[in-house]
Amino acid sequence: MRDRITRFFSSRWGIIVTGAIIGIIAPLLQLLGNPKNMGICVACFERDIVGSLGLHRNAATQYLRPEIMGMVLGATIAALIFREFRARSGSAPLVRFILGMVAMIGALVFLGCPWRALLRLAGGDLNAILGIAGLVVGVGIGVAFLKSGYSLGRSNRTSPAAGWVMPVLMVVLLLLAVFRVSFVKDGALFFSASGPGSMAAPLLISLAAGLIIGFLAQRSRFCTMGALRDVILMKDTHLLSGVGALLVVAFVMNLLLGQFKLGFAAQPVAHSNHLWNFLGMVLAGLAFALAGGCPGRQLFLAGEGDGDAGVFVLGMLAGAAVSHNFGLAATPDSVTEGVLKVGGISTWGMVAVFVGLAVCVVIGLTMRERTAK
Amino acid sequence: MAVTVDARGLSCPQPVILARKAIDVGKFPIEVLVDSVTSRENVRRIAEKAGLEVDVQPTDDGFKLILTRA
Protein backbone atom coordinates (compact mmCIF):
# COMPACT_ATOMS: atom_id res chain seq x y z
CA MET A 1 0.00 0.00 0.00
CA ARG A 2 2.71 2.44 1.07
CA ASP A 3 4.75 1.55 -2.00
CA ARG A 4 1.80 2.11 -4.29
CA ILE A 5 1.15 5.54 -2.82
CA THR A 6 4.85 6.36 -3.21
CA ARG A 7 4.78 5.32 -6.87
CA PHE A 8 1.64 7.37 -7.46
CA PHE A 9 3.12 10.53 -6.00
CA SER A 10 6.34 10.15 -7.95
CA SER A 11 4.28 9.78 -11.14
CA ARG A 12 3.17 12.67 -13.31
CA TRP A 13 -0.37 12.44 -11.95
CA GLY A 14 0.98 12.66 -8.42
CA ILE A 15 2.68 15.98 -9.05
CA ILE A 16 -0.30 17.31 -11.03
CA VAL A 17 -2.68 16.44 -8.18
CA THR A 18 -0.38 18.21 -5.70
CA GLY A 19 -0.17 21.36 -7.84
CA ALA A 20 -3.94 21.33 -8.40
CA ILE A 21 -4.69 21.01 -4.69
CA ILE A 22 -2.38 23.94 -3.88
CA GLY A 23 -4.20 25.80 -6.67
CA ILE A 24 -7.52 25.13 -4.92
CA ILE A 25 -6.33 25.84 -1.38
CA ALA A 26 -4.51 29.14 -1.97
CA PRO A 27 -7.42 31.13 -3.47
CA LEU A 28 -9.68 29.71 -0.72
CA LEU A 29 -7.28 30.98 1.95
CA GLN A 30 -7.49 34.38 0.28
CA LEU A 31 -11.29 34.18 0.35
CA LEU A 32 -11.13 33.32 4.06
CA GLY A 33 -8.96 36.30 4.90
CA ASN A 34 -5.37 36.01 3.65
CA PRO A 35 -4.03 39.02 1.70
CA LYS A 36 -4.91 39.32 -1.98
CA ASN A 37 -3.02 37.08 -4.39
CA MET A 38 -1.23 35.82 -1.29
CA GLY A 39 -3.24 32.73 -0.35
CA ILE A 40 0.15 31.15 0.16
CA CYS A 41 3.51 32.91 -0.07
CA VAL A 42 6.44 31.29 1.64
CA ALA A 43 8.64 34.38 1.48
CA CYS A 44 5.91 36.79 2.62
CA PHE A 45 4.72 34.50 5.40
CA GLU A 46 8.22 33.91 6.73
CA ARG A 47 8.70 37.67 6.65
CA ASP A 48 5.48 38.09 8.66
CA ILE A 49 6.74 35.60 11.24
CA VAL A 50 10.01 37.53 11.53
CA GLY A 51 7.95 40.68 12.05
CA SER A 52 5.81 39.09 14.74
CA LEU A 53 8.95 38.07 16.60
CA GLY A 54 10.10 41.68 16.44
CA LEU A 55 13.16 40.97 14.33
CA HIS A 56 11.94 43.61 11.92
CA ARG A 57 9.64 46.45 12.82
CA ASN A 58 7.52 47.01 9.73
CA ALA A 59 4.14 47.30 11.48
CA ALA A 60 2.19 46.15 8.41
CA THR A 61 3.80 42.71 8.13
CA GLN A 62 3.68 41.02 11.51
CA TYR A 63 1.82 37.75 12.03
CA LEU A 64 2.78 34.21 13.00
CA ARG A 65 1.51 32.53 9.83
CA PRO A 66 0.38 29.00 10.72
CA GLU A 67 0.67 27.93 7.07
CA ILE A 68 4.46 27.86 7.41
CA MET A 69 4.38 25.71 10.55
CA GLY A 70 1.83 23.44 8.88
CA MET A 71 3.96 23.02 5.77
CA VAL A 72 6.98 21.88 7.76
CA LEU A 73 4.99 19.65 10.11
CA GLY A 74 2.89 18.17 7.28
CA ALA A 75 6.14 17.13 5.61
CA THR A 76 7.37 15.68 8.91
CA ILE A 77 4.19 13.60 9.27
CA ALA A 78 4.44 12.33 5.69
CA ALA A 79 8.13 11.52 6.11
CA LEU A 80 7.46 9.59 9.32
CA ILE A 81 4.55 7.60 7.88
CA PHE A 82 6.54 6.67 4.78
CA ARG A 83 9.76 6.09 6.72
CA GLU A 84 11.64 8.83 4.91
CA PHE A 85 12.52 10.94 7.93
CA ARG A 86 16.32 11.07 7.86
CA ALA A 87 18.39 13.45 9.96
CA ARG A 88 21.14 14.77 7.74
CA SER A 89 23.28 17.89 7.45
CA GLY A 90 26.76 19.16 6.76
CA SER A 91 26.55 20.29 3.15
CA ALA A 92 27.99 23.81 3.35
CA PRO A 93 25.47 25.10 5.91
CA LEU A 94 26.87 28.62 6.16
CA VAL A 95 26.79 29.06 2.40
CA ARG A 96 23.17 27.91 2.44
CA PHE A 97 22.39 30.47 5.13
CA ILE A 98 23.78 33.25 2.93
CA LEU A 99 21.87 31.90 -0.09
CA GLY A 100 18.69 31.97 2.00
CA MET A 101 19.36 35.57 2.95
CA VAL A 102 19.97 36.83 -0.57
CA ALA A 103 17.06 34.77 -1.90
CA MET A 104 14.75 36.50 0.56
CA ILE A 105 16.14 39.93 -0.32
CA GLY A 106 15.45 39.20 -4.00
CA ALA A 107 11.98 37.84 -3.30
CA LEU A 108 11.04 40.91 -1.27
CA VAL A 109 12.19 43.19 -4.09
CA PHE A 110 9.63 41.40 -6.28
CA LEU A 111 7.22 40.99 -3.33
CA GLY A 112 6.72 37.25 -3.38
CA CYS A 113 8.22 33.82 -3.66
CA PRO A 114 7.77 31.71 -6.82
CA TRP A 115 4.51 30.33 -5.42
CA ARG A 116 3.13 33.82 -5.04
CA ALA A 117 4.42 34.76 -8.49
CA LEU A 118 2.18 31.98 -9.86
CA LEU A 119 -0.73 33.01 -7.63
CA ARG A 120 -0.32 36.66 -8.63
CA LEU A 121 -0.44 35.70 -12.30
CA ALA A 122 -3.47 33.49 -11.62
CA GLY A 123 -5.12 36.53 -10.04
CA GLY A 124 -4.48 38.68 -13.12
CA ASP A 125 -1.41 40.55 -11.85
CA LEU A 126 0.64 40.87 -15.04
CA ASN A 127 3.70 42.11 -13.11
CA ALA A 128 4.16 38.48 -12.18
CA ILE A 129 5.20 37.80 -15.79
CA LEU A 130 8.31 39.93 -15.20
CA GLY A 131 8.95 38.07 -11.96
CA ILE A 132 8.58 34.66 -13.56
CA ALA A 133 10.82 35.74 -16.45
CA GLY A 134 13.40 36.78 -13.88
CA LEU A 135 13.03 33.44 -12.15
CA VAL A 136 13.66 31.61 -15.43
CA VAL A 137 16.81 33.66 -16.06
CA GLY A 138 18.05 33.20 -12.48
CA VAL A 139 17.48 29.45 -12.56
CA GLY A 140 19.11 29.34 -16.01
CA ILE A 141 22.26 30.94 -14.59
CA GLY A 142 22.15 28.42 -11.74
CA VAL A 143 21.91 25.56 -14.24
CA ALA A 144 25.01 26.88 -16.01
CA PHE A 145 26.88 26.66 -12.69
CA LEU A 146 25.53 23.14 -12.08
CA LYS A 147 26.71 22.06 -15.52
CA SER A 148 30.16 23.44 -14.84
CA GLY A 149 30.47 21.30 -11.70
CA TYR A 150 28.98 23.47 -8.98
CA SER A 151 28.20 21.52 -5.81
CA LEU A 152 27.62 22.35 -2.17
CA GLY A 153 29.06 18.95 -1.30
CA ARG A 154 27.64 15.95 0.44
CA SER A 155 25.52 15.85 3.55
CA ASN A 156 26.00 13.23 6.21
CA ARG A 157 23.67 11.30 8.40
CA THR A 158 23.48 12.73 11.86
CA SER A 159 21.65 12.06 15.12
CA PRO A 160 17.86 12.10 14.87
CA ALA A 161 17.73 15.02 17.33
CA ALA A 162 19.38 17.24 14.71
CA GLY A 163 16.63 16.38 12.25
CA TRP A 164 13.97 17.36 14.75
CA VAL A 165 15.23 20.92 15.28
CA MET A 166 13.05 22.54 12.63
CA PRO A 167 9.86 20.56 13.37
CA VAL A 168 10.22 21.39 17.09
CA LEU A 169 10.90 25.05 16.29
CA MET A 170 7.67 25.06 14.28
CA VAL A 171 5.72 23.57 17.18
CA VAL A 172 7.06 26.36 19.40
CA LEU A 173 6.02 29.01 16.86
CA LEU A 174 2.62 27.38 16.63
CA LEU A 175 2.19 27.54 20.40
CA LEU A 176 3.15 31.23 20.28
CA ALA A 177 0.58 31.78 17.51
CA VAL A 178 -2.14 30.06 19.54
CA PHE A 179 -1.44 31.70 22.88
CA ARG A 180 -0.21 35.09 21.59
CA VAL A 181 2.08 35.54 24.56
CA SER A 182 3.05 39.10 25.38
CA PHE A 183 6.63 38.92 26.65
CA VAL A 184 7.25 42.60 27.34
CA LYS A 185 5.01 45.64 27.31
CA ASP A 186 4.81 47.04 23.77
CA GLY A 187 7.22 44.33 22.66
CA ALA A 188 7.09 40.94 20.98
CA LEU A 189 4.96 39.28 19.98
CA PHE A 190 3.70 41.79 17.41
CA PHE A 191 0.52 41.40 15.40
CA SER A 192 -0.27 43.90 12.63
CA ALA A 193 -3.36 46.02 13.19
CA SER A 194 -3.48 47.05 9.52
CA GLY A 195 -1.86 46.11 6.21
CA PRO A 196 -1.27 42.61 4.83
CA GLY A 197 -0.06 41.32 8.20
CA SER A 198 -3.50 41.95 9.66
CA MET A 199 -5.23 39.89 6.97
CA ALA A 200 -5.41 36.22 7.79
CA ALA A 201 -7.61 33.18 7.44
CA PRO A 202 -8.69 31.57 10.75
CA LEU A 203 -5.73 29.93 12.48
CA LEU A 204 -6.97 26.36 12.36
CA ILE A 205 -7.82 26.61 8.67
CA SER A 206 -4.41 28.10 7.87
CA LEU A 207 -2.74 25.34 9.84
CA ALA A 208 -4.78 22.61 8.18
CA ALA A 209 -4.02 24.06 4.75
CA GLY A 210 -0.31 24.05 5.56
CA LEU A 211 -0.44 20.48 6.85
CA ILE A 212 -2.20 19.20 3.71
CA ILE A 213 0.20 21.03 1.42
CA GLY A 214 3.23 19.87 3.43
CA PHE A 215 2.07 16.27 3.34
CA LEU A 216 1.36 16.22 -0.41
CA ALA A 217 4.45 18.18 -1.37
CA GLN A 218 6.72 15.95 0.70
CA ARG A 219 5.33 12.92 -1.15
CA SER A 220 5.48 14.45 -4.62
CA ARG A 221 8.66 16.61 -4.17
CA PHE A 222 6.75 19.64 -5.52
CA CYS A 223 9.25 22.42 -6.30
CA THR A 224 8.80 25.51 -8.44
CA MET A 225 12.51 26.13 -8.90
CA GLY A 226 13.13 22.46 -9.67
CA ALA A 227 10.37 22.63 -12.31
CA LEU A 228 12.27 25.29 -14.27
CA ARG A 229 15.67 23.76 -13.58
CA ASP A 230 14.71 20.32 -14.83
CA VAL A 231 13.32 21.74 -18.05
CA ILE A 232 16.41 23.87 -18.68
CA LEU A 233 18.88 21.20 -17.55
CA MET A 234 17.40 18.09 -19.13
CA LYS A 235 14.09 18.94 -20.80
CA ASP A 236 12.26 17.03 -18.06
CA THR A 237 8.76 18.44 -17.61
CA HIS A 238 7.76 16.27 -14.64
CA LEU A 239 7.83 18.97 -11.94
CA LEU A 240 6.67 21.62 -14.41
CA SER A 241 3.37 19.80 -14.85
CA GLY A 242 2.71 20.36 -11.13
CA VAL A 243 3.49 24.05 -11.45
CA GLY A 244 1.26 24.25 -14.53
CA ALA A 245 -1.58 22.56 -12.63
CA LEU A 246 -1.23 25.06 -9.77
CA LEU A 247 -1.38 28.02 -12.18
CA VAL A 248 -4.37 26.76 -14.19
CA VAL A 249 -6.42 25.62 -11.20
CA ALA A 250 -5.72 28.80 -9.20
CA PHE A 251 -6.73 30.85 -12.27
CA VAL A 252 -10.06 29.00 -12.57
CA MET A 253 -10.62 29.28 -8.81
CA ASN A 254 -10.00 33.04 -8.90
CA LEU A 255 -12.47 33.43 -11.78
CA LEU A 256 -15.09 31.42 -9.88
CA LEU A 257 -14.53 33.33 -6.64
CA GLY A 258 -14.46 36.75 -8.35
CA GLN A 259 -10.85 37.32 -7.30
CA PHE A 260 -9.48 37.90 -10.81
CA LYS A 261 -8.38 41.43 -11.77
CA LEU A 262 -6.30 41.87 -14.90
CA GLY A 263 -3.65 44.57 -15.20
CA PHE A 264 -0.28 45.96 -14.18
CA ALA A 265 -1.04 49.00 -12.05
CA ALA A 266 -2.13 49.00 -8.42
CA GLN A 267 -2.28 45.24 -8.03
CA PRO A 268 -2.56 44.08 -4.41
CA VAL A 269 0.74 44.00 -2.48
CA ALA A 270 2.69 44.44 -5.72
CA HIS A 271 4.55 47.17 -7.58
CA SER A 272 4.69 47.79 -11.31
CA ASN A 273 8.36 48.62 -11.60
CA HIS A 274 9.18 46.12 -14.34
CA LEU A 275 12.96 46.19 -14.15
CA TRP A 276 13.07 45.47 -10.42
CA ASN A 277 10.32 42.88 -10.52
CA PHE A 278 12.54 41.12 -13.03
CA LEU A 279 15.90 41.60 -11.32
CA GLY A 280 14.56 40.75 -7.86
CA MET A 281 13.50 37.37 -9.13
CA VAL A 282 16.71 36.80 -11.10
CA LEU A 283 18.48 37.04 -7.76
CA ALA A 284 15.96 34.85 -5.93
CA GLY A 285 15.89 32.25 -8.74
CA LEU A 286 19.67 32.02 -8.84
CA ALA A 287 19.91 31.62 -5.07
CA PHE A 288 17.17 28.96 -5.05
CA ALA A 289 18.91 27.07 -7.86
CA LEU A 290 22.25 27.14 -6.05
CA ALA A 291 20.56 25.95 -2.85
CA GLY A 292 18.65 23.20 -4.65
CA GLY A 293 15.07 24.20 -3.95
CA CYS A 294 12.42 26.91 -3.86
CA PRO A 295 11.39 28.25 -0.41
CA GLY A 296 8.51 25.78 -0.23
CA ARG A 297 10.69 22.80 -1.02
CA GLN A 298 13.22 23.94 1.60
CA LEU A 299 10.43 23.90 4.21
CA PHE A 300 9.42 20.35 3.24
CA LEU A 301 13.03 19.13 3.28
CA ALA A 302 13.55 20.77 6.67
CA GLY A 303 10.46 18.90 7.85
CA GLU A 304 11.87 15.54 6.81
CA GLY A 305 15.10 16.05 8.74
CA ASP A 306 17.33 17.94 6.29
CA GLY A 307 19.30 20.31 8.52
CA ASP A 308 20.86 22.06 5.53
CA ALA A 309 17.42 23.03 4.24
CA GLY A 310 16.63 24.17 7.79
CA VAL A 311 19.66 26.46 7.69
CA PHE A 312 18.45 27.89 4.37
CA VAL A 313 15.07 28.63 5.99
CA LEU A 314 16.80 30.41 8.90
CA GLY A 315 18.81 32.36 6.31
CA MET A 316 15.57 33.46 4.70
CA LEU A 317 14.27 34.64 8.07
CA ALA A 318 17.45 36.65 8.60
CA GLY A 319 17.12 38.00 5.06
CA ALA A 320 13.61 39.23 5.84
CA ALA A 321 14.88 41.09 8.89
CA VAL A 322 17.68 42.68 6.85
CA SER A 323 15.27 43.56 4.03
CA HIS A 324 12.88 45.48 6.23
CA ASN A 325 15.33 46.91 8.75
CA PHE A 326 17.51 48.37 5.99
CA GLY A 327 14.64 49.35 3.71
CA LEU A 328 15.59 46.96 0.92
CA ALA A 329 12.11 45.50 0.43
CA ALA A 330 9.89 47.02 -2.24
CA THR A 331 7.02 49.39 -1.57
CA PRO A 332 3.77 48.35 -3.26
CA ASP A 333 1.87 50.58 -5.70
CA SER A 334 -0.67 52.71 -3.90
CA VAL A 335 -3.65 54.78 -4.94
CA THR A 336 -4.32 57.91 -2.87
CA GLU A 337 -7.38 59.97 -3.75
CA GLY A 338 -7.50 58.39 -7.18
CA VAL A 339 -3.84 59.09 -7.96
CA LEU A 340 -1.64 56.09 -8.65
CA LYS A 341 1.75 56.12 -6.99
CA VAL A 342 4.02 53.48 -8.54
CA GLY A 343 5.97 51.62 -5.87
CA GLY A 344 9.38 50.12 -6.23
CA ILE A 345 12.58 49.87 -4.31
CA SER A 346 15.02 52.19 -2.64
CA THR A 347 18.55 52.86 -3.85
CA TRP A 348 19.80 50.55 -1.12
CA GLY A 349 17.42 47.89 -2.40
CA MET A 350 19.03 48.18 -5.83
CA VAL A 351 22.50 47.98 -4.31
CA ALA A 352 21.43 44.91 -2.33
CA VAL A 353 20.25 43.12 -5.48
CA PHE A 354 23.59 43.65 -7.21
CA VAL A 355 25.55 42.66 -4.10
CA GLY A 356 23.36 39.57 -3.83
CA LEU A 357 23.99 38.65 -7.46
CA ALA A 358 27.73 39.10 -6.96
CA VAL A 359 27.61 36.86 -3.86
CA CYS A 360 25.75 34.17 -5.82
CA VAL A 361 28.22 34.32 -8.71
CA VAL A 362 31.17 33.94 -6.34
CA ILE A 363 29.45 30.97 -4.65
CA GLY A 364 28.58 29.48 -8.04
CA LEU A 365 32.14 29.77 -9.29
CA THR A 366 33.95 28.61 -6.18
CA MET A 367 31.89 25.80 -4.67
CA ARG A 368 33.10 22.54 -6.19
CA GLU A 369 32.95 19.04 -4.80
CA ARG A 370 36.28 17.76 -3.58
CA THR A 371 36.83 14.28 -4.94
CA ALA A 372 37.48 11.80 -2.17
CA LYS A 373 40.86 10.18 -2.26
CA MET B 1 32.83 -4.76 -14.26
CA ALA B 2 30.06 -2.36 -13.34
CA VAL B 3 30.55 1.39 -13.39
CA THR B 4 29.70 2.83 -9.96
CA VAL B 5 28.22 6.26 -9.43
CA ASP B 6 28.26 7.26 -5.78
CA ALA B 7 25.59 9.91 -5.34
CA ARG B 8 25.05 9.40 -1.62
CA GLY B 9 24.66 12.60 0.35
CA LEU B 10 24.27 14.71 -2.76
CA SER B 11 21.13 16.76 -3.15
CA CYS B 12 18.96 17.30 -6.19
CA PRO B 13 19.76 17.43 -9.07
CA GLN B 14 23.31 16.13 -8.71
CA PRO B 15 22.50 12.41 -8.48
CA VAL B 16 20.59 12.76 -11.73
CA ILE B 17 23.39 14.74 -13.41
CA LEU B 18 25.97 12.12 -12.40
CA ALA B 19 23.75 9.25 -13.52
CA ARG B 20 23.10 10.94 -16.84
CA LYS B 21 26.80 11.48 -17.41
CA ALA B 22 27.42 7.77 -16.85
CA ILE B 23 24.53 6.82 -19.15
CA ASP B 24 25.94 9.11 -21.84
CA VAL B 25 29.33 7.38 -21.58
CA GLY B 26 27.42 4.20 -22.36
CA LYS B 27 29.27 1.56 -20.32
CA PHE B 28 26.75 -0.79 -18.73
CA PRO B 29 25.81 -1.99 -16.20
CA ILE B 30 25.85 1.18 -14.12
CA GLU B 31 25.40 1.03 -10.34
CA VAL B 32 24.06 4.21 -8.82
CA LEU B 33 24.24 4.55 -5.03
CA VAL B 34 21.76 6.98 -3.50
CA ASP B 35 20.64 7.56 0.08
CA SER B 36 17.15 8.99 -0.34
CA VAL B 37 13.89 7.86 -1.87
CA THR B 38 13.73 11.17 -3.76
CA SER B 39 17.03 10.50 -5.51
CA ARG B 40 16.02 6.88 -6.12
CA GLU B 41 12.81 7.94 -7.86
CA ASN B 42 14.54 10.73 -9.82
CA VAL B 43 17.31 8.46 -11.09
CA ARG B 44 14.80 5.71 -11.84
CA ARG B 45 12.69 8.15 -13.87
CA ILE B 46 15.49 9.39 -16.11
CA ALA B 47 16.87 5.88 -16.58
CA GLU B 48 13.47 4.55 -17.62
CA LYS B 49 13.07 7.54 -19.91
CA ALA B 50 16.39 6.61 -21.51
CA GLY B 51 14.96 3.14 -22.18
CA LEU B 52 17.09 1.36 -19.58
CA GLU B 53 16.10 -1.41 -17.25
CA VAL B 54 16.29 -0.47 -13.59
CA ASP B 55 16.75 -2.88 -10.72
CA VAL B 56 16.60 -1.40 -7.22
CA GLN B 57 18.20 -3.03 -4.19
CA PRO B 58 18.10 -1.70 -0.64
CA THR B 59 21.52 -1.14 0.94
CA ASP B 60 22.64 -0.32 4.48
CA ASP B 61 22.42 3.39 3.91
CA GLY B 62 19.99 3.75 1.02
CA PHE B 63 19.56 2.13 -2.35
CA LYS B 64 21.56 0.70 -5.21
CA LEU B 65 20.07 1.13 -8.65
CA ILE B 66 21.46 -1.14 -11.33
CA LEU B 67 20.91 0.26 -14.81
CA THR B 68 21.20 -2.11 -17.73
CA ARG B 69 20.34 -1.90 -21.40
CA ALA B 70 16.96 -3.45 -22.04
Side-chain angles (χ1 to χ4, degrees):
Chain A
M1 181 65 184
R2 259 201 290 249
D3 268 358
R4 277 178 56 186
I5 297 176
T6 298
R7 284 312 291 262
F8 170 74
F9 276 108
S10 68
S11 73
R12 190 173 288 267
W13 278 111
I15 193 83
I16 288 175
V17 165
T18 304
I21 290 177
I22 299 171
I24 292 170
I25 289 178
L28 285 177
L29 286 172
Q30 177 183 338
L31 186 75
L32 292 169
N34 276 5
K36 286 184 179 167
N37 293 347
M38 205 193 278
I40 297 264
C41 171
V42 177
C44 317
F45 287 5
E46 288 177 351
R47 180 265 320 271
D48 291 351
I49 290 174
V50 170
S52 186
L53 297 175
L55 301 173
H56 76 65
R57 304 300 297 275
N58 175 11
T61 56
Q62 299 170 328
Y63 178 55
L64 288 169
R65 297 273 177 196
E67 287 89 349
I68 297 293
M69 291 74 120
M71 286 162 83
V72 174
L73 295 172
T76 306
I77 293 167
L80 288 174
I81 292 177
F82 290 88
R83 301 197 184 119
E84 285 178 15
F85 187 90
R86 283 185 321 116
R88 55 205 192 269
S89 71
S91 166
L94 207 46
V95 173
R96 289 177 190 268
F97 186 90
I98 298 294
L99 287 173
M101 277 185 77
V102 296
M104 182 61 108
I105 291 169
L108 290 179
V109 163
F110 165 71
L111 293 176
C113 70
W115 291 35
R116 184 167 189 246
L118 296 167
L119 294 172
R120 279 171 60 173
L121 187 58
D125 177 350
L126 297 175
N127 298 301
I129 295 172
L130 279 302
I132 292 169
L135 202 58
V136 172
V137 171
V139 173
I141 299 170
V143 167
F145 284 126
L146 278 166
K147 278 186 173 167
S148 74
Y150 166 82
S151 170
L152 286 180
R154 290 167 199 259
S155 64
N156 293 303
R157 270 187 183 236
T158 174
S159 313
W164 279 98
V165 172
M166 286 305 279
V168 169
L169 204 56
M170 292 299 138
V171 171
V172 172
L173 286 177
L174 200 53
L175 290 174
L176 291 178
V178 170
F179 294 105
R180 295 201 170 207
V181 190
S182 177
F183 290 89
V184 278
K185 196 173 174 295
D186 300 326
L189 302 167
F190 297 94
F191 292 94
S192 296
S194 63
S198 68
M199 304 164 79
L203 187 144
L204 279 181
I205 291 178
S206 293
L207 176 64
L211 286 169
I212 294 169
I213 292 172
F215 189 96
L216 293 173
Q218 194 280 335
R219 297 316 302 143
S220 62
R221 337 291 184 202
F222 183 86
C223 179
T224 54
M225 184 287 299
L228 299 173
R229 178 199 62 205
D230 289 355
V231 170
I232 299 170
L233 183 64
M234 47 201 176
K235 299 186 177 57
D236 175 7
T237 55
H238 175 77
L239 287 172
L240 190 69
S241 44
V243 167
L246 190 165
L247 183 62
V248 171
V249 172
F251 169 67
V252 173
M253 286 291 291
N254 281 328
L255 283 181
L256 292 176
L257 299 173
Q259 296 179 160
F260 186 82
K261 187 187 118 192
L262 193 70
F264 279 104
Q267 287 284 354
V269 205
H271 64 78
S272 48
N273 187 325
H274 304 318
L275 177 66
W276 292 98
N277 276 327
F278 176 78
L279 287 178
M281 277 312 232
V282 171
L283 173 57
L286 174 55
F288 298 146
L290 294 179
C294 74
R297 179 83 184 129
Q298 304 279 358
L299 289 178
F300 311 133
L301 285 169
E304 56 173 77
D306 184 337
D308 295 319
V311 170
F312 182 90
V313 173
L314 296 181
M316 284 191 75
L317 299 182
V322 167
S323 270
H324 282 286
N325 288 342
F326 301 145
L328 314 178
T331 315
D333 285 1
S334 57
V335 182
T336 348
E337 291 167 4
V339 182
L340 171 74
K341 186 166 175 286
V342 173
I345 63 172
S346 67
T347 310
W348 286 114
M350 299 174 189
V351 171
V353 169
F354 285 115
V355 171
L357 285 170
V359 167
C360 286
V361 169
V362 170
I363 290 172
L365 290 174
T366 52
M367 294 301 291
R368 293 283 182 275
E369 199 193 0
R370 308 241 176 271
T371 38
K373 286 274 151 70
Chain B
M1 186 59 191
V3 181
T4 302
V5 175
D6 184 359
R8 288 173 298 178
L10 290 174
S11 54
C12 270
Q14 289 174 59
V16 172
I17 294 178
L18 295 176
R20 278 253 306 210
K21 269 188 187 154
I23 293 170
D24 288 345
V25 170
K27 270 189 171 176
F28 293 93
I30 300 167
E31 287 182 359
V32 186
L33 299 172
V34 297
D35 63 356
S36 74
V37 179
T38 309
S39 298
R40 182 191 78 192
E41 293 302 314
N42 287 343
V43 172
R44 190 212 298 263
R45 204 167 41 240
I46 62 136
E48 285 174 352
K49 234 174 112 182
L52 300 173
E53 250 171 45
V54 183
D55 180 40
V56 181
Q57 296 168 0
T59 59
D60 287 347
D61 56 356
F63 306 94
K64 179 158 80 175
L65 294 97
I66 302 164
L67 316 184
T68 46
R69 252 197 263 265

